Amino acid sequence: LGTSLPDAFASKTAATTDLHADNSVGNVTGSNSVNVFLGLGLPWMIATIVWAIRGSDATWNSRFQHDADLEWLG
């Protein structure tokens, strides 16, 4: 809601003032892309940096090592 509400107002304003509402479609597409890329990419990047610095420990190995081995792919 924090990033969507201002985008909704901007899209409504663009839709009512523009003849063909092209700006509102571009605003929705652009804002959703930014929300997804930042919402998924930023935490993923931070976690990657933290795990690269700290390394894996016994807790990590017990929870995630079977996923990292890739043996389950066949």
Side-chain angles (χ1 to χ4, degrees):
L1 186 65
T3 60
S4 299
L5 195 60
D7 290 334
F9 288 127
S11 293
K12 182 186 181 307
T13 303
T16 56
T17 58
D18 193 20
L19 182 62
H20 301 291
D22 291 339
N23 288 333
S24 62
V25 174
N27 184 34
V28 168
T29 305
S31 66
N32 284 337
S33 298
V34 168
N35 289 344
V36 168
F37 292 142
L38 288 180
L40 293 176
L42 192 60
W44 193 331
M45 184 182 69
I46 291 170
T48 302
I49 292 170
V50 167
W51 282 110
I53 292 171
R54 285 196 337 194
S56 62
D57 56 1
T59 304
W60 187 91
N61 287 334
S62 67
R63 292 176 63 190
F64 303 113
Q65 189 59 43
H66 66 280
D67 293 334
D69 287 339
L70 299 179
E71 292 179 9
W72 55 274
L73 288 176

